[in-house]
Amino acid sequence: LDVATFELHPTLGLLEASSLQDRLQLAALQASWCTGLPDPTGMTGVEAAMLSLGASSPTKPLTYREAECLDAIMNVAAQCPPIMLRCCVIWNLSQSLIALQPLNVKDRGLVEIHAKLGIKVTDTIQQYGVVYQRMHTKCWPLSLSPRLTLTTYEQRLLFAKLLPGPRLKGVVRQQVYTLTCRKLSDDGFKEVGETATALSTLYEAIEGDLVDVSNTLEHTLLLKKDVQYRSSDTYPLPHKEGVRPSSVDKELEVSWNIHAALVKTRLERIRPAKSPLPVLLKKVRSQLAELNETRETLVKKFRAAIAPNTSLTKAARYGHVDSELSIVEMIRILLFPQGWSSVAVSSIRAWVVATILNDKMERFWIAVGGSATPPSDTVLDTNIIKDTNAAIRELSSRRVWDPVTHPAWLVFEVINRLQTWPNQAHVAMRLCKEGANGDIAQLNMGLGKTRVIVPFVALHSVFHVDNKDTELSRMMVLHELESEFTNYAALHLGGSLVAPVNVYSLPFTRNLNLTPVQLRGILHLLKHATASHSAVVSTPSSWLSMQLHLEELQILDRKEEAGIMREILALPTFDTLDEADLSLHHRFRLAYAWGNQEPLKDGSVRWGSLFALLRVRSTLPEAQRDDPSILLKRVMLDEQCKDCLLYTSPSPRDS
């Protein structure tokens, strides 16, 4: 039984899925209600489906179930060109990855559905070729598209078939905003700016009080040195009843008795009779309630500020027009501020920062009282914290980087509902600073190298102004972590509903005998990843194999393949190496053997002789097993060893 699971994102108010198959299934459901009327989230079915498809770029060729879901989307949305074109982009990206990860030709169902989808995609591209080329080669997916400037003819070509017509969102609406919002000065957002200022003031006040709370909690962790105990009293050595202890068990018991004789001190937490903690937490709770009210007020005023401008646009001819911005579109303003006033951008930034603080406080309340809701006065007056260490850990996560400089990091935090620790941010900023090529940072296990720092560096290389359209972002991981990290990056970077960064897996091994057409497909994929601000997950051994394969192609005089491979290796990249001490170790540098695979000469006889010798030796009495002369005679007389005596010497010592 195939089951698709969806979760409701508490901040965006939209459904999201954790796998590509589930995201495509969700897009099929959303595309099935293709009307111009918005749902309670403020989005139509077309817009919601485009968001899900924008976060559905494949990291490997589509499986049968994934291809089946894509086929269902194209059947449901046959009269919706934007969705059809986005499906074409997903399909062609999947086809580009087949050269590195071939399909199982024995699976007839998979081959048939791929052929069926190929025909649909070809027909769609022929009908809307101009728009598809612009989508696929020059800019981000259609679900983002602030850089996609369609002409009036292209807009009519895409949206004329939709009845009653899309609202001013997606491609058309974002283009309208780019034109109309430039007419809005800071005066148009005056009330919005005042609310944002009040929100920032509340945020700073809460952060200051949280510092006092953290200091108070740390001071309650005191060490009582007069409480002493022996380890054996607390943790006795377990024994298996009815089992005779072995020599290892006896050695363990001796070691444990030595350890148990040591006198230790116990760490205890002293709760002072009068503590300022309940008063501080009540103050933070009331300020947090005011913060959430101000957040809601800011969103309402922001939507009201742009409503008069959107209602006057020429796009009203498409039918129903709803000027209400969704939360997703508001957060995207941080990444694409072109055309928006400085007050509008700073207001959205203040709202996102306050939202991240609210998420952190939910985790803090869980550590205090076991629930995400703020505890009551009765619970706070007991001055008992359920998990003091977890509470201190949450309060220690403070922002030490500038959200104006790194808006993509801010979006990553609000979408994934986390806040980075200071040491994670310091390492990421060090690796991202100008002239930091070759820098290496070391962190202990479990401090977020793979989960936070590597995605931060990748986001910086994708969204930073200096790296746009010039460098391919590569995340290099160990071979053992490649599959797990690819899935994680595809979920948290490629699966983002706000700004999906497409993630591609690029394995390369020596047994891939690629044709020039397949090599050009890989080159096209990497160039598309650079232009569309995507990232590639690979291993150092894969790129080393590419370099050595180029040498092999040159020696074999395969000039065409060698030229394409040379172009692939010449692409400018921005590399982030996870576990650099292992990735750069000399033991992993020899990852490619020269020539074709050949069997070892007389290999079956060589290892057959060893097995025959061991078999015969096991049949001898124990006193004769170490006598070479007796062992050799028995081997010579054994009927099953005749084919294994080519390398047997008559001398006992040589044998």
Side-chain angles (χ1 to χ4, degrees):
L1 178 63
D2 291 333
V3 178
T5 58
F6 311 128
E7 294 181 1
L8 182 65
H9 196 285
T11 302
L12 303 179
L14 299 175
L15 291 175
E16 58 180 1
S18 59
S19 67
L20 177 60
Q21 178 180 336
D22 291 353
R23 283 194 291 271
L24 292 175
Q25 183 66 51
L26 177 60
L29 294 174
Q30 293 167 335
S32 63
W33 64 76
C34 289
T35 67
L37 301 177
D39 58 16
T41 64
M43 305 187 71
T44 65
V46 175
E47 295 161 354
M50 291 298 294
L51 279 180
S52 299
L53 290 174
S56 300
S57 292
T59 61
K60 57 184 179 180
L62 296 179
T63 63
Y64 177 79
R65 293 299 183 188
E66 293 167 352
E68 197 175 38
C69 292
L70 192 66
D71 182 56
I73 296 172
M74 299 187 75
N75 290 335
V76 170
Q79 300 300 319
C80 183
I83 294 181
M84 294 289 288
L85 288 174
R86 180 57 196 164
C87 291
C88 293
V89 173
I90 294 175
W91 169 255
N92 283 331
L93 290 177
S94 170
Q95 294 299 106
S96 301
L97 297 168
I98 289 182
L100 295 175
Q101 304 175 61
L103 297 176
N104 183 10
V105 294
K106 295 182 180 179
D107 190 347
R108 297 189 61 182
L110 180 62
V111 175
E112 290 176 359
I113 197 169
H114 271 250
K116 179 181 177 181
L117 276 172
I119 297 175
K120 288 185 179 180
V121 169
T122 302
D123 295 341
T124 304
I125 293 177
Q126 288 178 353
Q127 188 175 3
Y128 306 102
V130 176
V131 182
Y132 172 80
Q133 290 298 327
R134 188 175 300 187
M135 285 174 54
H136 187 58
T137 60
K138 295 184 179 180
C139 55
W140 287 49
L142 187 61
S143 59
L144 293 180
S145 294
R147 300 176 182 150
L148 182 59
T149 54
L150 298 180
T151 64
T152 304
Y153 167 76
E154 291 168 346
Q155 294 176 19
R156 190 179 302 112
L157 183 67
L158 282 178
F159 295 104
K161 294 184 179 181
L162 290 180
L163 295 176
R167 298 178 299 123
L168 298 182
K169 289 189 178 180
V171 178
V172 176
R173 186 168 180 176
Q174 288 177 359
Q175 186 199 11
V176 170
Y177 283 160
T178 303
L179 296 175
T180 60
C181 289
R182 289 180 180 176
K183 300 177 182 179
L184 290 176
S185 63
D186 290 347
D187 295 337
F189 287 96
K190 185 176 180 180
E191 292 186 6
V192 177
E194 294 174 353
T195 307
T197 302
L199 187 64
S200 300
T201 303
L202 276 172
Y203 171 81
E204 296 294 338
I206 294 176
E207 284 288 359
D209 291 336
L210 290 179
V211 174
D212 297 336
V213 172
S214 179
N215 294 334
T216 304
L217 287 174
E218 290 177 353
H219 289 155
T220 60
L221 292 176
L222 303 178
L223 185 64
K224 289 185 66 176
K225 295 185 178 180
D226 56 329
V227 179
Q228 297 181 344
Y229 67 100
R230 295 181 182 274
S231 301
S232 58
D233 299 334
T234 308
Y235 303 104
L237 181 66
H239 293 280
K240 295 181 180 180
E241 298 182 359
V243 179
R244 184 178 180 181
S246 62
S247 59
V248 177
D249 295 332
K250 294 179 180 179
E251 294 178 2
L252 180 61
E253 186 174 4
V254 173
S255 175
W256 179 255
N257 292 334
I258 297 175
H259 171 73
L262 301 176
V263 178
K264 300 181 179 180
T265 56
R266 177 182 296 146
L267 182 66
E268 288 193 353
R269 179 162 51 89
I270 298 177
R271 181 163 56 91
K274 293 183 179 180
S275 173
L277 187 59
V279 177
L280 289 173
L281 292 180
K282 291 178 183 179
K283 181 180 178 182
V284 170
R285 186 186 59 185
S286 62
Q287 290 176 332
L288 192 63
E290 185 179 356
L291 181 82
N292 291 329
E293 293 179 1
T294 309
R295 284 173 53 226
E296 296 177 0
T297 303
L298 177 61
V299 172
K300 294 178 181 178
K301 290 185 177 180
F302 192 93
R303 288 169 173 170
I306 63 173
N309 293 273
T310 56
S311 62
L312 297 177
T313 60
K314 60 180 181 180
R317 68 176 184 273
Y318 291 114
H320 175 72
V321 176
D322 182 13
S323 61
E324 184 175 293
L325 273 178
S326 65
I327 297 298
V328 172
E329 292 171 316
M330 292 176 61
I331 297 177
R332 281 181 181 169
I333 295 175
L334 296 179
L335 300 175
F336 310 109
Q338 298 85 357
W340 294 91
S341 67
S342 59
V343 176
V345 177
S346 61
S347 300
I348 296 300
R349 187 183 302 113
W351 181 87
V352 172
V353 169
T355 302
I356 296 173
L357 175 63
N358 182 66
D359 293 339
K360 182 176 77 170
M361 290 306 300
E362 288 184 2
R363 298 189 295 271
F364 175 75
W365 294 133
I366 292 176
V368 172
S371 174
T373 58
S376 61
D377 291 345
T378 305
V379 176
L380 294 180
D381 289 337
T382 59
N383 195 21
I384 297 177
I385 305 298
K386 184 176 180 180
D387 191 343
T388 306
N389 294 327
I392 294 176
R393 184 170 60 251
E394 287 297 335
L395 296 179
S396 64
S397 58
R398 302 186 183 97
R399 187 171 294 104
V400 295
W401 46 273
D402 186 8
V404 179
T405 308
H406 302 285
W409 295 1
L410 199 64
V411 173
F412 182 83
E413 285 189 343
V414 72
I415 295 301
N416 294 284
R417 305 191 71 199
L418 57 85
Q419 186 166 1
T420 54
W421 295 337
N423 57 346
Q424 295 172 343
H426 285 309
V427 173
M429 288 188 293
R430 173 185 169 185
L431 297 177
C432 294
K433 70 180 181 181
E434 187 177 356
N437 293 337
D439 277 13
I440 296 177
Q442 182 176 359
L443 280 178
N444 292 331
M445 183 182 299
L447 293 183
K449 297 187 297 296
T450 305
R451 301 294 185 182
V452 177
I453 296 176
V454 173
F456 264 33
V457 178
L459 287 172
H460 174 80
S461 65
V462 168
F463 286 96
H464 199 267
V465 177
D466 297 336
N467 294 332
K468 288 181 180 178
D469 300 324
T470 58
E471 292 182 339
L472 173 65
S473 177
R474 291 193 308 188
M475 295 178 285
M476 312 292 280
V477 298
L478 296 178
H479 178 73
E480 296 79 7
L481 302 177
E482 182 181 11
S483 176
E484 179 187 357
F485 181 78
T486 301
N487 295 334
Y488 175 82
L491 174 61
H492 294 278
L493 295 179
S496 172
L497 295 176
V498 175
V501 177
N502 297 338
V503 177
Y504 307 114
S505 177
L506 198 67
F508 190 90
T509 57
R510 63 164 302 183
N511 59 354
L512 292 175
N513 188 15
L514 302 179
T515 63
V517 176
Q518 292 173 326
L519 287 173
R520 287 195 188 94
I522 297 174
L523 178 62
H524 173 73
L525 175 66
L526 295 178
K527 288 184 176 180
H528 169 71
T530 304
S532 62
H533 306 278
S534 305
V536 171
V537 178
S538 187
T539 62
S541 60
S542 296
W543 289 89
L544 179 61
S545 296
M546 285 187 179
Q547 297 174 14
L548 297 176
H549 186 58
L550 173 61
E551 300 293 335
E552 185 179 17
L553 293 174
Q554 292 174 342
I555 294 176
L556 297 176
D557 200 24
R558 297 170 60 179
K559 297 181 180 179
E560 185 177 3
E561 292 93 329
I564 301 174
M565 183 63 73
R566 194 178 295 107
E567 286 188 59
I568 293 175
L569 295 174
L571 292 174
T573 60
F574 184 94
D575 295 342
T576 306
L577 275 70
D578 186 28
E579 306 292 349
D581 54 337
L582 295 178
S583 299
L584 301 178
H585 198 277
H586 63 85
R587 292 181 301 169
F588 302 99
R589 303 306 293 172
L590 184 59
Y592 195 89
W594 171 255
N596 297 324
Q597 297 181 4
E598 296 182 1
L600 186 65
K601 184 179 180 180
D602 298 324
S604 59
V605 176
R606 293 185 180 185
W607 54 72
S609 301
L610 296 176
F611 282 106
L613 182 64
L614 294 174
R615 182 180 56 79
V616 172
R617 183 178 182 276
S618 64
T619 61
L620 294 174
E622 188 173 356
Q624 298 178 1
R625 290 181 181 180
D626 296 331
D627 191 335
S629 59
I630 297 176
L631 184 60
L632 180 60
K633 290 178 182 180
R634 293 297 298 269
V635 170
M636 298 286 288
L637 295 175
D638 192 280
E639 292 293 333
Q640 299 181 7
C641 298
K642 291 181 179 180
D643 297 335
C644 303
L645 298 178
L646 296 177
Y647 298 97
T648 303
S649 171
S651 172
R653 191 179 72 174
D654 294 340
S655 63

